[in-house]
Amino acid sequence: MFFSLFGRKKTESKKAPIARQPVKPSPEKSATPSASPQASEESLDFSAYVPPPPSTPLPVSPAPVPAPQEAETAPAAPPLDVSALVSSLAGQADPVPSIDVSPPNDIAPVIEETATLFANGEVEQALAALSNAVREGGLGSSALQAWLMLFDLYQHLGMKVEFEALALEFVMEFERSPPAWIETDERPDPALDTGGIAYFALGGTLTDASAPELEKLRNAAATQPALRVDCGKLEGVDGPGCRLFSETLLSLRNAGKKVLLTGEARLIQFLEGACQPGRTETDGAAWALLLDVYRILDFKDKFEEAAVNYAVTFEVSPPSWESQPGAEARGSVVLQPVEPADQVLILSGELSGAGETLAKQLQDWALANKMLIIDMSQATRVDLVTAGLMLNVFSKLQETGTTIQIRGANELIRALFGVTGLSRVARIIPRK
């Protein structure tokens, strides 16, 4: 009996790959396999050898297993998390919480690639990637943005011939006017976004050595009916500088020019620090400029308080709020402050490796104004570190209810802001 079974095992093991696989499906269809003696013998063998039945599902069970494994391993190599990289470069351990910074799915990958390369200073690589993508086409809804970014790359590299050739193709492709080439000494005036008035920025310390700069200020207003003076970059003032500035403002007023002040919070900070009650060593010109600024901004309460302090300090009669008689009679336009919503912080040039200085400037500006409005029409490049810092500051300001706008940034910077998630916490207004 033992030998017969052993012999059958060897013969069936040879026949198994041929006979059993076709026979297997038939028992599933017919429950009574008693038609042939061979079938009955096999049924006896199956009763004796329990392992074969589970051996048939074995090839079936692993089949579905690799499929879910492949599905699980497919997303194991996600694309570069630019937001995490930006946050780490900005000195943050993790990306800013509760902000979805992933770029929209309908944006072509070359947009993110070009923006990141350009931010890292790899301009030639960015140009190669973007120009190839534009030539090949197939950019879908990102086509216009890609072309505009290519214009900015040509502008940045000074490639005027390529810029103008692309402009001709742009007209044929999009049936609209192309961007205009900007000469290096003809960067767009930030004032153009606020009415086309003349613009002048005061920087450094306001001293008697500032006379040439103030003369340029007068010249800037010569051909325009209005002038915007930005005081946000001042680093300090002294008595002679205050006197020169007061005389300049007076001459502009007498010439019938309308003067708009921005960044005046910084100017007031320096003036109030110098004009303390009882401090007789402070030049009277600083007091006079402080009172004049209060008049311009219509800060009557602060004017009257400062006027009393001035009178007590120098033992004179306090200046009067109505201290500019005849201004209207001469036909001049009285100096007027810019509304809080129009207070603009200007960021220009290449913004790279930013640190606490920029962060504090953004925070202080937001505290001094109802809105944080940033003019970037003169900015040429922003690196990932600066973008990360701005994202962190803006996210905190947004939590406090501060409205943030960024105006005039070029297409390369706008694309970076989209990649890093800045466009989720600030309103990005494109160039006109």
Side-chain angles (χ1 to χ4, degrees), residues 327-386:
E328 296 294 335
R330 289 192 295 269
S332 62
V333 180
V334 179
L335 304 180
Q336 296 181 4
V338 178
E339 293 300 323
D342 290 330
Q343 301 294 336
V344 179
L345 173 64
I346 298 173
L347 299 179
S348 60
E350 290 204 5
L351 306 177
S352 59
E356 292 303 316
T357 301
L358 177 60
K360 188 176 186 305
Q361 186 179 18
L362 294 171
Q363 293 165 349
D364 291 347
W365 194 272
L367 290 175
N369 301 278
K370 294 181 180 179
M371 297 175 63
L372 175 58
I373 303 178
I374 302 175
D375 189 323
M376 299 192 69
S377 58
Q378 291 181 311
T380 56
R381 186 176 73 89
V382 176
D383 70 353
L384 287 173
V385 174
T386 304

Short mmCIF file of all heavy atoms in Angstrom, two decimals, residues 327-386:
data_model
loop_
_atom_site.label_atom_id
_atom_site.label_comp_id
_atom_site.label_asym_id
_atom_site.label_seq_id
_atom_site.Cartn_x
_atom_site.Cartn_y
_atom_site.Cartn_z
N ALA A 327 -0.87 131.05 1.45
CA ALA A 327 -0.55 129.92 0.57
C ALA A 327 -1.61 129.78 -0.51
O ALA A 327 -1.30 129.62 -1.69
CB ALA A 327 -0.45 128.63 1.38
N GLU A 328 -2.87 129.90 -0.13
CA GLU A 328 -3.94 129.78 -1.11
C GLU A 328 -3.96 131.01 -2.04
O GLU A 328 -4.25 130.91 -3.22
CB GLU A 328 -5.29 129.66 -0.40
CG GLU A 328 -5.43 128.39 0.44
CD GLU A 328 -5.44 127.14 -0.42
OE1 GLU A 328 -5.80 127.23 -1.61
OE2 GLU A 328 -5.06 126.07 0.09
N ALA A 329 -3.61 132.20 -1.48
CA ALA A 329 -3.65 133.41 -2.29
C ALA A 329 -2.61 133.38 -3.40
O ALA A 329 -2.81 133.93 -4.47
CB ALA A 329 -3.41 134.63 -1.40
N ARG A 330 -1.47 132.70 -3.15
CA ARG A 330 -0.45 132.60 -4.18
C ARG A 330 -0.80 131.56 -5.23
O ARG A 330 -0.04 131.35 -6.16
CB ARG A 330 0.90 132.25 -3.54
CG ARG A 330 1.51 133.40 -2.74
CD ARG A 330 2.95 133.08 -2.40
NE ARG A 330 3.05 131.92 -1.51
CZ ARG A 330 3.06 132.00 -0.18
NH1 ARG A 330 2.93 133.19 0.40
NH2 ARG A 330 3.18 130.94 0.56
N GLY A 331 -1.91 130.88 -5.06
CA GLY A 331 -2.33 129.88 -6.04
C GLY A 331 -1.60 128.57 -5.93
O GLY A 331 -1.69 127.73 -6.82
N SER A 332 -0.83 128.35 -4.86
CA SER A 332 -0.10 127.10 -4.70
C SER A 332 -1.01 126.02 -4.15
O SER A 332 -2.07 126.31 -3.59
CB SER A 332 1.09 127.30 -3.76
OG SER A 332 0.62 127.67 -2.48
N VAL A 333 -0.59 124.81 -4.31
CA VAL A 333 -1.34 123.68 -3.75
C VAL A 333 -0.69 123.31 -2.43
O VAL A 333 0.52 123.05 -2.37
CB VAL A 333 -1.31 122.48 -4.72
CG1 VAL A 333 -2.07 121.31 -4.13
CG2 VAL A 333 -1.89 122.88 -6.06
N VAL A 334 -1.45 123.31 -1.37
CA VAL A 334 -0.91 123.01 -0.05
C VAL A 334 -0.46 121.54 -0.03
O VAL A 334 -1.10 120.68 -0.62
CB VAL A 334 -1.98 123.26 1.04
CG1 VAL A 334 -1.42 122.92 2.42
CG2 VAL A 334 -2.44 124.70 0.97
N LEU A 335 0.66 121.30 0.67
CA LEU A 335 1.17 119.93 0.76
C LEU A 335 0.10 119.03 1.36
O LEU A 335 -0.55 119.38 2.33
CB LEU A 335 2.41 119.91 1.64
CG LEU A 335 3.56 120.83 1.22
CD1 LEU A 335 4.71 120.69 2.20
CD2 LEU A 335 4.02 120.50 -0.18
N GLN A 336 -0.06 117.85 0.79
CA GLN A 336 -1.09 116.92 1.24
C GLN A 336 -0.48 115.57 1.52
O GLN A 336 0.42 115.12 0.81
CB GLN A 336 -2.18 116.76 0.17
CG GLN A 336 -2.94 118.04 -0.11
CD GLN A 336 -4.00 117.81 -1.15
OE1 GLN A 336 -4.22 116.69 -1.58
NE2 GLN A 336 -4.67 118.86 -1.55
N PRO A 337 -0.95 114.90 2.57
CA PRO A 337 -0.44 113.56 2.86
C PRO A 337 -1.07 112.53 1.94
O PRO A 337 -2.17 112.73 1.43
CB PRO A 337 -0.87 113.31 4.31
CG PRO A 337 -2.14 114.11 4.44
CD PRO A 337 -1.95 115.34 3.57
N VAL A 338 -0.37 111.44 1.75
CA VAL A 338 -0.95 110.32 1.03
C VAL A 338 -1.87 109.58 1.98
O VAL A 338 -1.59 109.46 3.17
CB VAL A 338 0.17 109.38 0.53
CG1 VAL A 338 -0.41 108.18 -0.20
CG2 VAL A 338 1.09 110.15 -0.39
N GLU A 339 -2.99 109.10 1.48
CA GLU A 339 -3.89 108.34 2.33
C GLU A 339 -3.18 107.09 2.84
O GLU A 339 -2.30 106.55 2.18
CB GLU A 339 -5.14 107.92 1.54
CG GLU A 339 -5.99 109.11 1.14
CD GLU A 339 -6.49 109.88 2.33
OE1 GLU A 339 -6.81 109.25 3.36
OE2 GLU A 339 -6.55 111.11 2.27
N PRO A 340 -3.57 106.56 4.03
CA PRO A 340 -2.90 105.39 4.58
C PRO A 340 -2.86 104.22 3.62
O PRO A 340 -1.91 103.48 3.59
CB PRO A 340 -3.75 105.06 5.82
CG PRO A 340 -4.36 106.36 6.21
CD PRO A 340 -4.59 107.11 4.93
N ALA A 341 -3.91 104.04 2.81
CA ALA A 341 -3.93 102.91 1.89
C ALA A 341 -2.90 103.05 0.79
O ALA A 341 -2.59 102.10 0.11
CB ALA A 341 -5.33 102.77 1.29
N ASP A 342 -2.37 104.28 0.60
CA ASP A 342 -1.41 104.51 -0.47
C ASP A 342 0.04 104.56 0.04
O ASP A 342 0.94 104.89 -0.70
CB ASP A 342 -1.72 105.81 -1.20
CG ASP A 342 -2.98 105.72 -2.03
OD1 ASP A 342 -3.28 104.61 -2.51
OD2 ASP A 342 -3.65 106.74 -2.18
N GLN A 343 0.26 104.28 1.33
CA GLN A 343 1.61 104.27 1.86
C GLN A 343 2.32 103.06 1.28
O GLN A 343 1.94 101.92 1.52
CB GLN A 343 1.57 104.20 3.38
CG GLN A 343 0.84 105.37 4.04
CD GLN A 343 1.55 106.69 3.83
OE1 GLN A 343 2.75 106.70 3.62
NE2 GLN A 343 0.83 107.78 3.88
N VAL A 344 3.38 103.30 0.54
CA VAL A 344 4.03 102.24 -0.22
C VAL A 344 5.46 102.05 0.27
O VAL A 344 6.23 102.99 0.40
CB VAL A 344 4.04 102.57 -1.73
CG1 VAL A 344 4.75 101.48 -2.52
CG2 VAL A 344 2.62 102.76 -2.24
N LEU A 345 5.81 100.81 0.55
CA LEU A 345 7.18 100.44 0.88
C LEU A 345 7.85 99.95 -0.40
O LEU A 345 7.34 99.03 -1.04
CB LEU A 345 7.20 99.35 1.95
CG LEU A 345 8.57 98.75 2.28
CD1 LEU A 345 9.48 99.82 2.88
CD2 LEU A 345 8.42 97.57 3.24
N ILE A 346 8.96 100.56 -0.76
CA ILE A 346 9.62 100.24 -2.03
C ILE A 346 10.79 99.29 -1.77
O ILE A 346 11.67 99.58 -0.96
CB ILE A 346 10.10 101.51 -2.73
CG1 ILE A 346 8.91 102.41 -3.07
CG2 ILE A 346 10.89 101.17 -3.99
CD1 ILE A 346 9.29 103.76 -3.62
N LEU A 347 10.78 98.16 -2.46
CA LEU A 347 11.90 97.22 -2.44
C LEU A 347 12.49 97.18 -3.85
O LEU A 347 11.76 96.95 -4.82
CB LEU A 347 11.43 95.82 -2.02
CG LEU A 347 10.81 95.70 -0.62
CD1 LEU A 347 10.38 94.27 -0.36
CD2 LEU A 347 11.78 96.17 0.45
N SER A 348 13.78 97.40 -3.96
CA SER A 348 14.39 97.51 -5.28
C SER A 348 15.67 96.68 -5.37
O SER A 348 16.21 96.22 -4.35
CB SER A 348 14.70 98.98 -5.60
OG SER A 348 15.59 99.51 -4.64
N GLY A 349 16.14 96.50 -6.62
CA GLY A 349 17.38 95.77 -6.86
C GLY A 349 17.23 94.28 -6.62
O GLY A 349 16.14 93.72 -6.69
N GLU A 350 18.35 93.61 -6.35
CA GLU A 350 18.35 92.18 -6.06
C GLU A 350 18.18 91.97 -4.56
O GLU A 350 18.99 92.47 -3.77
CB GLU A 350 19.64 91.53 -6.56
CG GLU A 350 19.75 91.46 -8.07
CD GLU A 350 20.69 90.36 -8.53
OE1 GLU A 350 21.17 89.59 -7.68
OE2 GLU A 350 20.93 90.28 -9.74
N LEU A 351 17.14 91.24 -4.18
CA LEU A 351 16.87 90.97 -2.77
C LEU A 351 17.35 89.55 -2.48
O LEU A 351 16.70 88.57 -2.82
CB LEU A 351 15.37 91.10 -2.49
CG LEU A 351 14.74 92.42 -2.93
CD1 LEU A 351 13.24 92.41 -2.68
CD2 LEU A 351 15.38 93.60 -2.21
N SER A 352 18.52 89.45 -1.84
CA SER A 352 19.10 88.14 -1.57
C SER A 352 19.69 88.13 -0.17
O SER A 352 20.17 89.15 0.33
CB SER A 352 20.19 87.80 -2.59
OG SER A 352 21.22 88.77 -2.57
N GLY A 353 19.62 86.96 0.46
CA GLY A 353 20.19 86.79 1.80
C GLY A 353 19.58 87.69 2.84
O GLY A 353 20.26 88.13 3.76
N ALA A 354 18.29 87.98 2.72
CA ALA A 354 17.64 88.90 3.65
C ALA A 354 17.63 88.32 5.06
O ALA A 354 17.59 87.11 5.26
CB ALA A 354 16.21 89.19 3.19
N GLY A 355 17.67 89.21 6.04
CA GLY A 355 17.67 88.78 7.43
C GLY A 355 16.68 89.57 8.25
O GLY A 355 15.64 90.02 7.75
N GLU A 356 17.02 89.75 9.52
CA GLU A 356 16.11 90.40 10.45
C GLU A 356 15.84 91.86 10.08
O GLU A 356 14.81 92.40 10.45
CB GLU A 356 16.66 90.31 11.87
CG GLU A 356 16.67 88.90 12.42
CD GLU A 356 15.28 88.29 12.41
OE1 GLU A 356 14.31 88.98 12.78
OE2 GLU A 356 15.15 87.12 12.01
N THR A 357 16.77 92.48 9.37
CA THR A 357 16.55 93.89 9.01
C THR A 357 15.31 94.04 8.14
O THR A 357 14.46 94.89 8.39
CB THR A 357 17.78 94.44 8.25
OG1 THR A 357 18.94 94.32 9.08
CG2 THR A 357 17.57 95.90 7.89
N LEU A 358 15.21 93.20 7.10
CA LEU A 358 14.04 93.26 6.23
C LEU A 358 12.79 92.84 6.98
O LEU A 358 11.72 93.45 6.82
CB LEU A 358 14.24 92.37 5.00
CG LEU A 358 13.05 92.29 4.04
CD1 LEU A 358 12.69 93.66 3.48
CD2 LEU A 358 13.34 91.32 2.89
N ALA A 359 12.89 91.82 7.81
CA ALA A 359 11.72 91.36 8.56
C ALA A 359 11.18 92.48 9.46
O ALA A 359 9.97 92.72 9.52
CB ALA A 359 12.08 90.13 9.40
N LYS A 360 12.08 93.17 10.13
CA LYS A 360 11.65 94.27 11.01
C LYS A 360 11.06 95.42 10.20
O LYS A 360 10.08 96.05 10.62
CB LYS A 360 12.84 94.77 11.84
CG LYS A 360 12.45 95.79 12.93
CD LYS A 360 13.65 96.15 13.77
CE LYS A 360 13.24 97.06 14.94
NZ LYS A 360 12.52 98.26 14.50
N GLN A 361 11.66 95.68 9.04
CA GLN A 361 11.15 96.76 8.20
C GLN A 361 9.71 96.45 7.76
O GLN A 361 8.84 97.33 7.78
CB GLN A 361 12.04 96.95 6.98
CG GLN A 361 11.67 98.14 6.11
CD GLN A 361 12.60 98.30 4.92
OE1 GLN A 361 13.30 97.37 4.55
NE2 GLN A 361 12.60 99.48 4.32
N LEU A 362 9.45 95.22 7.36
CA LEU A 362 8.11 94.83 6.93
C LEU A 362 7.12 94.92 8.09
O LEU A 362 6.00 95.42 7.94
CB LEU A 362 8.13 93.41 6.36
CG LEU A 362 8.93 93.21 5.07
CD1 LEU A 362 9.03 91.73 4.74
CD2 LEU A 362 8.29 93.95 3.91
N GLN A 363 7.54 94.44 9.27
CA GLN A 363 6.65 94.47 10.43
C GLN A 363 6.36 95.90 10.88
O GLN A 363 5.21 96.24 11.17
CB GLN A 363 7.27 93.65 11.56
CG GLN A 363 7.35 92.16 11.26
CD GLN A 363 8.27 91.42 12.21
OE1 GLN A 363 9.03 92.03 12.96
NE2 GLN A 363 8.22 90.10 12.17
N ASP A 364 7.41 96.72 10.93
CA ASP A 364 7.21 98.11 11.36
C ASP A 364 6.32 98.87 10.39
O ASP A 364 5.47 99.67 10.79
CB ASP A 364 8.56 98.81 11.50
CG ASP A 364 9.38 98.27 12.66
OD1 ASP A 364 8.81 97.54 13.49
OD2 ASP A 364 10.59 98.56 12.71
N TRP A 365 6.52 98.62 9.11
CA TRP A 365 5.71 99.32 8.11
C TRP A 365 4.25 98.91 8.23
O TRP A 365 3.34 99.74 8.10
CB TRP A 365 6.24 99.00 6.71
CG TRP A 365 5.70 99.92 5.65
CD1 TRP A 365 4.54 99.74 4.93
CD2 TRP A 365 6.26 101.14 5.20
NE1 TRP A 365 4.36 100.77 4.07
CE2 TRP A 365 5.39 101.65 4.21
CE3 TRP A 365 7.40 101.84 5.53
CZ2 TRP A 365 5.66 102.84 3.55
CZ3 TRP A 365 7.65 103.03 4.86
CH2 TRP A 365 6.78 103.52 3.89
N ALA A 366 4.00 97.63 8.47
CA ALA A 366 2.62 97.16 8.62
C ALA A 366 1.97 97.77 9.85
O ALA A 366 0.78 98.09 9.84
CB ALA A 366 2.60 95.64 8.69
N LEU A 367 2.74 97.94 10.92
CA LEU A 367 2.19 98.53 12.15
C LEU A 367 1.87 100.01 11.97
O LEU A 367 0.92 100.51 12.55
CB LEU A 367 3.17 98.35 13.31
CG LEU A 367 3.36 96.92 13.82
CD1 LEU A 367 4.45 96.87 14.88
CD2 LEU A 367 2.05 96.37 14.40
N ALA A 368 2.68 100.69 11.15
CA ALA A 368 2.50 102.14 10.97
C ALA A 368 1.39 102.47 9.98
O ALA A 368 0.95 103.62 9.92
CB ALA A 368 3.81 102.78 10.52
N ASN A 369 0.93 101.49 9.23
CA ASN A 369 -0.08 101.74 8.20
C ASN A 369 -1.20 100.72 8.32
O ASN A 369 -1.02 99.63 8.87
CB ASN A 369 0.55 101.66 6.80
CG ASN A 369 1.67 102.68 6.62
OD1 ASN A 369 1.43 103.84 6.35
ND2 ASN A 369 2.91 102.23 6.79
N LYS A 370 -2.35 101.06 7.80
CA LYS A 370 -3.48 100.14 7.84
C LYS A 370 -3.27 98.95 6.92
O LYS A 370 -3.82 97.88 7.15
CB LYS A 370 -4.76 100.88 7.45
CG LYS A 370 -5.17 101.96 8.43
CD LYS A 370 -6.47 102.64 7.99
CE LYS A 370 -6.87 103.72 8.97
NZ LYS A 370 -8.12 104.42 8.55
N MET A 371 -2.52 99.14 5.85
CA MET A 371 -2.22 98.08 4.90
C MET A 371 -0.72 98.04 4.66
O MET A 371 -0.04 99.04 4.82
CB MET A 371 -2.93 98.31 3.56
CG MET A 371 -4.44 98.30 3.63
SD MET A 371 -5.16 98.73 2.02
CE MET A 371 -4.56 97.37 1.02
N LEU A 372 -0.23 96.86 4.30
CA LEU A 372 1.17 96.73 3.90
C LEU A 372 1.20 96.62 2.38
O LEU A 372 0.82 95.61 1.81
CB LEU A 372 1.81 95.50 4.53
CG LEU A 372 3.25 95.20 4.08
CD1 LEU A 372 4.16 96.39 4.38
CD2 LEU A 372 3.78 93.95 4.76
N ILE A 373 1.61 97.72 1.73
CA ILE A 373 1.69 97.76 0.27
C ILE A 373 3.16 97.88 -0.12
O ILE A 373 3.85 98.80 0.32
CB ILE A 373 0.89 98.94 -0.31
CG1 ILE A 373 -0.57 98.87 0.15
CG2 ILE A 373 0.98 98.96 -1.82
CD1 ILE A 373 -1.42 100.02 -0.33
N ILE A 374 3.62 96.94 -0.92
CA ILE A 374 5.02 96.88 -1.31
C ILE A 374 5.12 97.10 -2.81
O ILE A 374 4.46 96.41 -3.59
CB ILE A 374 5.65 95.54 -0.93
CG1 ILE A 374 5.52 95.31 0.58
CG2 ILE A 374 7.10 95.47 -1.35
CD1 ILE A 374 6.00 93.95 1.03
N ASP A 375 5.94 98.07 -3.20
CA ASP A 375 6.20 98.34 -4.61
C ASP A 375 7.49 97.64 -5.01
O ASP A 375 8.56 97.95 -4.48
CB ASP A 375 6.33 99.85 -4.83
CG ASP A 375 6.37 100.22 -6.31
OD1 ASP A 375 6.98 99.45 -7.08
OD2 ASP A 375 5.81 101.25 -6.68
N MET A 376 7.40 96.67 -5.92
CA MET A 376 8.58 95.91 -6.36
C MET A 376 8.86 96.14 -7.84
O MET A 376 9.49 95.29 -8.49
CB MET A 376 8.39 94.42 -6.07
CG MET A 376 8.22 94.09 -4.59
SD MET A 376 8.34 92.34 -4.23
CE MET A 376 10.08 92.03 -4.56
N SER A 377 8.40 97.26 -8.38
CA SER A 377 8.62 97.52 -9.80
C SER A 377 10.09 97.75 -10.12
O SER A 377 10.51 97.64 -11.27
CB SER A 377 7.80 98.73 -10.24
OG SER A 377 8.13 99.88 -9.48
N GLN A 378 10.91 98.06 -9.09
CA GLN A 378 12.33 98.25 -9.29
C GLN A 378 13.15 97.05 -8.83
O GLN A 378 14.38 97.08 -8.89
CB GLN A 378 12.81 99.51 -8.57
CG GLN A 378 12.29 100.81 -9.19
CD GLN A 378 12.81 102.03 -8.46
OE1 GLN A 378 12.75 102.11 -7.24
NE2 GLN A 378 13.32 102.99 -9.20
N ALA A 379 12.50 95.99 -8.36
CA ALA A 379 13.20 94.78 -7.93
C ALA A 379 13.52 93.93 -9.15
O ALA A 379 12.69 93.78 -10.06
CB ALA A 379 12.35 94.00 -6.94
N THR A 380 14.73 93.37 -9.19
CA THR A 380 15.14 92.57 -10.34
C THR A 380 15.13 91.07 -10.03
O THR A 380 14.85 90.26 -10.92
CB THR A 380 16.56 92.97 -10.79
OG1 THR A 380 17.47 92.87 -9.67
CG2 THR A 380 16.56 94.40 -11.30
N ARG A 381 15.44 90.70 -8.78
CA ARG A 381 15.47 89.28 -8.44
C ARG A 381 15.24 89.11 -6.94
O ARG A 381 15.66 89.96 -6.14
CB ARG A 381 16.81 88.64 -8.83
CG ARG A 381 16.88 87.13 -8.62
CD ARG A 381 18.20 86.56 -9.13
NE ARG A 381 19.31 86.90 -8.25
CZ ARG A 381 19.69 86.15 -7.21
NH1 ARG A 381 19.04 85.03 -6.93
NH2 ARG A 381 20.70 86.52 -6.46
N VAL A 382 14.59 88.02 -6.57
CA VAL A 382 14.39 87.66 -5.17
C VAL A 382 14.86 86.22 -5.00
O VAL A 382 14.44 85.34 -5.75
CB VAL A 382 12.90 87.79 -4.75
CG1 VAL A 382 12.71 87.32 -3.31
CG2 VAL A 382 12.42 89.22 -4.92
N ASP A 383 15.73 85.97 -4.02
CA ASP A 383 16.20 84.60 -3.84
C ASP A 383 15.28 83.86 -2.88
O ASP A 383 14.35 84.42 -2.29
CB ASP A 383 17.65 84.57 -3.36
CG ASP A 383 17.81 85.07 -1.91
OD1 ASP A 383 16.81 85.55 -1.34
OD2 ASP A 383 18.93 84.98 -1.38
N LEU A 384 15.54 82.54 -2.72
CA LEU A 384 14.66 81.71 -1.92
C LEU A 384 14.68 82.10 -0.44
O LEU A 384 13.67 81.99 0.24
CB LEU A 384 15.05 80.24 -2.08
CG LEU A 384 14.68 79.60 -3.42
CD1 LEU A 384 15.28 78.20 -3.51
CD2 LEU A 384 13.17 79.52 -3.59
N VAL A 385 15.84 82.54 0.05
CA VAL A 385 15.93 82.93 1.45
C VAL A 385 15.01 84.12 1.73
O VAL A 385 14.24 84.13 2.70
CB VAL A 385 17.38 83.29 1.82
CG1 VAL A 385 17.46 83.85 3.24
CG2 VAL A 385 18.28 82.06 1.69
N THR A 386 15.07 85.12 0.86
CA THR A 386 14.23 86.30 1.04
C THR A 386 12.75 85.96 0.87
O THR A 386 11.90 86.46 1.62
CB THR A 386 14.63 87.39 0.04
OG1 THR A 386 16.03 87.68 0.19
CG2 THR A 386 13.84 88.66 0.26
#
